Amino acid sequence: MKTELIKIDFAKPLSGQLSLPAKILAEGGLVAFPTETVYGLGGNALDASAAGKIYAAKGRPSDNPLIVHIARPGDAEKYADTNPLYEALAKAFMPGPLTVVLPKKEIIPFSVTGGLQTVGIRCPGDPVARELIRLAGVPVAAPSANVSGRPSPTAASHVADDLNGRIDCIIDGGEAEVGLESTIVKIDGDRLILLRPGAITPEMLRTVCENVVLDNGILGKLPEGVSPQAPGMKYRHYAPRAKVYLVRAENEEQADRKAIAFFRARLAENPQVGILCYDEHLPFLSGENVYSYGKKEDDLAHSHLLFDCLRRFDETEAPAIYAVIGKTEGIGLALYNRMLKASAYTVIYI
């Protein structure tokens, strides 16, 4: 299969540039497109065979549900049973990096929802994504546009590395702004269950609904035999080829000193090991594969750069990767969740 690459010129109208990929989606093909979180791999959410193509292209387990992307928050009522809490969330955070799990309507095939009676609905904040969906005239089912298990793509080049020749089209709309997948919440009566943390943090959600609880799958493994309620909950995710170890200080006051000492010891054993650290650590470390994902207190930089850094390690001979991890408040919770999945829950306390 030849994969078309379309690079967006933001000085020109989007509609003309997106007419071909919109046609591909409407006819059952697959298009990778930018969002403010990560790049998505889209197919017609009303077409069961399109969902099958997404799973095949990614090598994704078929019980891992897809998110349905819409052009306008109000379009959700066509595909799911909405309620006042959904409306309040949509008013506060949509378009934006939030997915809301609702009871699905029959029009959405079970192949899209992983066999579940619920569906995740998201109205992306990226204007390219929304215009593409509008032009296609169909809701777009889309997981991240990568081979299943690998770090999610935050640039079109990442998509091409994984899926060139497997899908019909890639739209290059520049780097993703957030860098981590959307927050996923499930409405459960008068409360919200946080299934996957993201840029819409628990603190932000509580401004709309005071009763927000964290699903056990955020910081722990799902038991065997349990179907995931949302993407990213069950299977190995976000991982580079080398084994990842998270490095976390038990005493915050000594965190930097201990992290630097730990990294220096690993580099003394093998200068090719991968190190993912903060800017403040770089002057004290010397190795072939030492990368930073921003200043220690810059959670937004960490989220924006994490997946790009993990993919950079795949271009090296690093036999293992040691990554520093800090606080778990705000967007730090989302970062910790992704890094736990990438490391298969392997945390070294120092």
Side-chain angles (χ1 to χ4, degrees):
M1 177 186 296
K2 183 181 185 299
T3 300
E4 297 286 339
L5 177 63
I6 297 174
K7 186 172 179 59
I8 296 297
D9 182 348
F10 288 95
K12 298 178 180 178
L14 291 176
S15 56
Q17 301 177 75
L18 295 175
S19 59
L20 173 61
K23 183 173 184 289
I24 290 171
L25 284 174
E27 295 177 352
L30 301 187
V31 175
F33 61 96
T35 79
E36 74 278 23
T37 57
V38 299
Y39 272 69
L41 176 59
N44 183 350
L46 307 181
D47 182 347
S49 64
K53 292 177 185 177
I54 292 173
Y55 287 118
K58 283 178 61 73
R60 181 185 178 96
S62 61
D63 69 340
N64 201 3
L66 308 177
I67 291 171
V68 172
H69 294 66
I70 55 179
R72 294 170 293 272
D75 291 343
E77 63 186 17
K78 302 176 186 177
Y79 314 113
D81 295 328
T82 60
N83 55 45
L85 185 47
Y86 168 80
E87 299 296 337
L89 290 167
K91 182 177 180 180
F93 303 118
M94 294 184 186
L98 179 68
T99 297
V100 181
V101 176
L102 299 164
K104 83 175 192 71
K105 290 186 174 178
E106 289 187 11
I107 194 171
I108 299 295
F110 282 109
S111 59
V112 168
T113 66
L116 299 175
Q117 294 283 355
T118 54
V119 61
I121 299 290
R122 165 159 141 74
C123 179
D126 187 282
V128 174
R130 289 201 312 280
E131 181 66 2
L132 173 67
I133 299 164
R134 187 189 72 79
L135 289 171
V138 295
V140 175
S144 54
N146 57 304
V147 169
S148 188
R150 291 208 65 209
S152 296
T154 56
S157 59
H158 298 163
V159 181
D161 288 343
D162 282 14
L163 298 178
N164 190 37
R166 297 190 185 195
I167 62 176
D168 299 287
C169 181
I170 299 171
I171 302 171
D172 184 351
E175 289 189 4
E177 179 184 357
V178 176
L180 297 178
E181 301 85 353
S182 64
T183 299
I184 302 179
V185 295
K186 181 178 181 179
I187 295 177
D188 180 37
D190 62 353
R191 70 173 186 166
L192 295 177
I193 302 174
L194 181 62
L195 301 178
R196 184 176 72 186
I200 306 299
T201 66
E203 295 83 357
M204 295 166 68
L205 291 168
R206 289 189 180 103
T207 65
V208 174
C209 176
E210 292 183 1
N211 193 358
V212 178
V213 297
L214 273 60
D215 187 89
N216 291 335
I218 290 178
L219 298 177
K221 298 179 183 179
L222 281 185
E224 289 299 323
V226 175
S227 296
Q229 298 184 69
M233 292 187 69
K234 181 177 180 181
Y235 297 98
R236 180 177 181 263
H237 278 271
Y238 322 120
R241 296 186 182 95
K243 171 64 180 173
V244 178
Y245 299 87
L246 301 191
V247 179
R248 193 171 189 192
E250 294 183 299
N251 185 336
E252 180 58 30
E253 291 182 2
Q254 302 177 30
D256 289 326
R257 180 180 61 81
K258 287 194 170 185
I260 290 167
F262 180 87
F263 290 148
R264 288 173 69 110
R266 301 291 79 74
L267 290 166
E269 294 168 357
N270 185 342
Q272 287 194 320
V273 297
I275 302 294
L276 182 56
C277 62
Y278 301 134
D279 285 357
E280 292 87 342
H281 299 163
L282 287 176
F284 305 97
L285 302 175
S286 178
E288 297 181 24
N289 303 310
V290 177
Y291 302 133
S292 166
Y293 63 165
K295 293 183 180 298
K296 183 177 181 179
E297 299 301 323
D298 193 347
D299 292 339
L300 294 178
H302 304 165
S303 67
H304 179 73
L305 294 171
L306 173 64
F307 290 142
D308 182 66
C309 287
L310 292 180
R311 282 180 171 266
R312 287 171 66 189
F313 285 118
D314 280 347
E315 300 172 5
T316 74
E317 298 297 323
I321 300 164
Y322 297 92
V324 68
I325 185 69
K327 63 183 180 181
T328 57
E329 295 82 27
I331 200 170
L333 177 64
L335 190 78
Y336 188 47
N337 168 263
R338 304 312 192 273
M339 295 181 79
L340 279 174
K341 305 288 186 184
S343 67
Y345 300 90
T346 307
V347 184
I348 299 172
Y349 291 92
I350 55 174

